[in-house]
Amino acid sequence: MYHLSKVLNLSFDEAIAHTKEALKQQGFGVLTEIDAKAAFKQKLDVEFRRYTILGACHPRIAYSILQTEDKAGVFYPCNVVVQEQEGGTVEVSAIDPTVMFAALENPGAKGIALEAKTLMDKVMEQL
């Protein structure tokens, strides 16, 4: 599985706020926020469900991985998706950092990826 996911019984806006707070509590900052519904409407004139991509970054983890692998920045930020599901539920999904960094053959990078996964697991537990 390439992602960590959890279904929430919250409104979409509450789920966004709750996800941002959980990320913050584990040391992540949200660098970008993409409203896919609005982008698809503007660029393609099509309707889409509420779907927001939060570009999250943990500064200490990012610094560590870039000290180990200078090209690892191509993987950043770690994306966290908040999307509406049928039936009124909202699902939050995050990239699994160990999968994201699996292409790196540097042993030091593997340990950093495990640390990042531990933090992202804690985010998902808080949701």
Side-chain angles (χ1 to χ4, degrees):
M1 185 98 46
Y2 61 92
H3 59 91
L4 312 167
S5 294
K6 189 166 190 178
V7 175
L8 307 178
N9 288 315
L10 298 172
S11 73
F12 187 83
D13 292 331
E14 290 171 328
I16 292 278
H18 195 57
T19 301
K20 286 179 178 179
E21 182 58 29
L23 287 163
K24 181 180 175 183
Q25 287 181 14
Q26 294 306 319
F28 290 89
V30 175
L31 303 176
T32 61
E33 188 167 337
I34 300 167
D35 181 341
K37 178 184 172 103
F40 291 150
K41 183 64 177 173
Q42 179 185 13
K43 302 290 184 182
L44 303 174
D45 196 27
V46 297
E47 295 298 325
F48 196 73
R49 68 188 176 280
R50 293 184 79 183
Y51 191 108
T52 298
I53 304 166
L54 303 173
C57 183
H58 192 287
R60 184 178 47 76
I61 297 290
Y63 179 77
S64 294
I65 200 81
L66 291 175
Q67 293 292 355
T68 304
E69 281 284 333
D70 69 334
K71 313 280 184 309
V74 300
F75 295 112
Y76 279 103
C78 296
N79 286 326
V80 178
V81 171
V82 180
Q83 65 175 309
E84 282 183 327
Q85 297 290 350
E86 289 185 31
T89 60
V90 177
E91 182 180 42
V92 177
S93 301
I95 184 72
D96 179 336
T98 59
V99 174
M100 183 172 76
F101 291 123
L104 303 178
E105 296 179 7
N106 185 314
K110 303 294 183 200
I112 296 165
L114 285 172
E115 181 183 0
K117 182 177 186 311
T118 298
L119 292 171
M120 195 59 80
D121 283 338
K122 288 179 181 178
V123 168
M124 298 309 266
E125 288 171 13
Q126 287 180 262
L127 297 178

